[in-house]
Amino acid sequence: MSARLYVDLPLGPEGQELDLPPGPTRHAQVLRSQPGDVLTLFDGRGEQEWQAEVLAMGRSVVRVRLLSARVLRHELPQGFRLALVMPANDRMDFLVEKATELGVAAIQPLMSERSVLRLSGERADKKVAHWQGVAQAAAEQCGRARVPQVAAVRTLPQWLAELPPAAGEARWLLSPQAQGLPGRPAQGELWSLSGPEGGLSAGEEAAAQAQGFQPVGLGPRVLRADTAPLALLSWWGLAQL
C-alpha cells in the first residue's frame, strides 16, 4: 500500500508535475521513497485522491507526476460541525484526531466562563495550527479526502453573536439536564455545542438556546468533556450507514 499524504496545493489534472511542499517532502524522505515509487496524494479540497509517481528525490525537493484520480465517498451524507469549549491538557489533541476519523466537517474551539484552558494571541494561533496538523494527519490515516477546518479560538459569547440564523441545519446543545436525543432530521447538517469540564453555566445555556440550540442528553451517566461530543458524533455517523 502506497503512502498517503496531504498536499496543501490544488491537484490536477492528470499528468501534472509538481514539487511536494515541505511537510509531505519530509514524509516521503522518511519513507525512503525512490524515483518510480507511487504515492497517494489528496489536497483536502474535494472528494478524490491521486496516484502520483515519484520523479526525483532531492535533499529538499521531491518531484512527482499525477497519474490518475479516484473519487472517494467517505464523507458523512449529513455533515456534523462541532463547537466545543476546549478541554484541558492534551485532551483536545485526542478529540481533534478522533473527531476527524469519525467524519467531523469542522471544529470550533471555544472558551467559556468555566474554561480551564484559556488561549489568546500567538499562543492561540499556534495551538490552532497544531490542531489543524493533527486533523491533517488523521485524514491521511483514515482515508478521508477532506480535512476538517479547525477555526480560530473564540469565546462562546463571541461565537454565538457571530453565528448566522439557522438555515436548514439542526443545532443541538449537549446538556446533562436534558432527556435523550431527538430523532435525527431527515436532511441538513448538525451543529453540536458542548461545554468544558465544569459544564456551561445556566446563562450560557440560555444564550445558546436563544440561537436555536436544542438541549439534548446522552443518558444518565455524566460523560467527560472530550467523551460526550465524540459519542454524539459516533451516533450521528452510524445512523447514516
Side-chain angles (χ1 to χ4, degrees):
M1 182 177 180
S2 63
R4 190 170 191 272
L5 305 176
Y6 168 73
V7 177
D8 191 14
L9 294 170
L11 297 179
E14 185 176 319
Q16 176 190 10
E17 295 186 10
L18 69 148
D19 294 335
L20 296 182
T25 289
R26 287 192 296 272
H27 197 153
Q29 290 169 334
V30 168
L31 293 171
R32 300 183 182 276
S33 299
Q34 298 297 320
D37 288 350
V38 175
L39 304 174
T40 301
L41 309 179
F42 69 105
D43 60 16
R45 292 171 169 81
E47 295 189 356
Q48 63 183 16
E49 62 183 16
W50 286 85
Q51 297 296 293
E53 179 187 5
V54 177
L55 298 178
M57 292 287 298
R59 286 190 174 183
S60 60
V61 175
V62 175
R63 190 160 186 82
V64 301
R65 179 173 58 239
L66 300 184
L67 300 176
S68 60
R70 181 168 75 100
V71 176
L72 303 177
R73 303 295 184 194
H74 295 174
E75 301 304 307
L76 299 180
Q78 291 177 260
F80 185 108
R81 297 177 179 271
L82 174 60
L84 77 159
V85 178
M86 301 172 292
N89 302 319
D90 294 329
R91 295 182 185 276
M92 188 66 177
D93 286 26
F94 176 86
L95 195 150
V96 170
E97 179 183 76
K98 299 311 172 189
T100 299
E101 292 177 21
L102 291 168
V104 76
I107 300 172
Q108 173 62 65
L110 298 170
M111 293 183 292
S112 69
E113 294 176 19
R114 298 171 181 166
S115 287
V116 176
L117 178 60
R118 295 185 177 275
L119 301 171
S120 62
E122 184 179 356
R123 183 165 173 248
D125 294 340
K126 287 183 177 179
K127 277 291 188 181
V128 169
H130 169 72
W131 292 327
Q132 191 65 61
V134 171
Q136 290 170 6
E140 286 178 346
Q141 181 274 324
C142 74
R144 290 186 64 176
R146 293 186 180 273
V147 178
Q149 184 68 35
V150 182
V153 176
R154 312 290 287 168
T155 67
L156 178 58
Q158 285 174 329
W159 181 70
L160 288 174
E162 296 166 357
L163 198 62
E169 84 267 15
R171 294 181 176 180
W172 290 356
L173 167 65
L174 283 169
S175 173
Q177 289 74 44
Q179 300 297 316
L181 294 170
R184 185 174 61 84
Q187 57 186 1
E189 295 187 334
L190 172 67
W191 261 117
S192 168
L193 171 62
S194 57
E197 289 82 351
L200 299 177
S201 69
E204 288 171 331
E205 289 207 2
Q209 290 181 60
Q211 290 291 344
F213 283 88
Q214 175 185 359
V216 301
L218 296 175
R221 293 173 301 282
V222 178
L223 303 182
R224 286 183 177 272
D226 53 318
T227 304
L230 293 177
L232 181 59
L233 173 54
S234 298
W235 173 85
W236 182 261
L238 289 171
Q240 298 180 46
L241 292 178

